[in-house]
């Protein structure tokens, strides 16, 4: 099942995001290699700077999605003000199964 992980950064935390980005990217690459990542990317503020994340993951259940979310280096670094995890159904423009 797919889950959307919707994260909002703490105010004034851009440097934490920048400093932790290499570990975050490696984490996402690992999820992708394990076929647990559907897609991911940052939300942007009015100036085009990242201020949150949208990560859609494949997990067996909510507990599994929560475990994946908690393992993200951004979460471990305390970057996020809030994290919402919601079941998600990919309806349009879903890539064909490989």
């Amino acid at each position: 099942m797919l889950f959307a992980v919707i994260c909002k950064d703490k105010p004034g935390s851009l440097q934490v995001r920048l400093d932790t980005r290499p570990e975050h990217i490696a984490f996402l690459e690992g999820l992708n290699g394990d076929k647990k990542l559907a897609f991911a990317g940052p939300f942007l503020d009015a100036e085009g700077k990242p201020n949150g994340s949208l990560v859609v993951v494949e997990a067996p259940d909510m507990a599994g999605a929560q475990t994946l979310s908690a393992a993200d280096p951004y979460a471990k670094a305390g970057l996020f003000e809030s994290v919402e995890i919601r079941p998600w159904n990919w309806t349009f423009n879903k890539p064909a199964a490989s």
Side-chain angles (χ1 to χ4, degrees):
M1 172 173 227
L2 291 173
F3 292 87
V5 182
I6 305 160
C7 308
K8 182 179 178 184
D9 292 2
K10 291 177 181 172
S13 62
L14 181 59
Q15 194 60 52
V16 173
R17 176 177 278 273
L18 296 175
D19 292 346
T20 312
R21 189 170 191 276
E23 292 87 1
H24 170 72
I25 295 299
F27 171 74
L28 293 179
E29 288 173 345
L31 290 180
N32 197 46
D34 292 340
K35 300 197 183 302
K36 294 181 181 178
L37 179 66
F39 60 85
F43 290 110
L44 304 175
D45 66 15
E47 297 168 355
K49 294 180 182 168
N51 66 352
S53 299
L54 171 62
V55 181
V56 178
V57 297
E58 178 76 35
D61 52 28
M62 179 62 77
Q66 290 169 334
T67 298
L68 288 176
S69 175
D72 186 328
Y74 280 168
K76 290 181 176 182
L79 175 64
F80 301 131
E81 177 178 84
S82 65
V83 176
E84 180 182 7
I85 302 175
R86 299 184 61 185
W88 190 72
N89 183 26
W90 197 333
T91 305
F92 290 98
N93 296 324
K94 183 177 182 178
S98 38

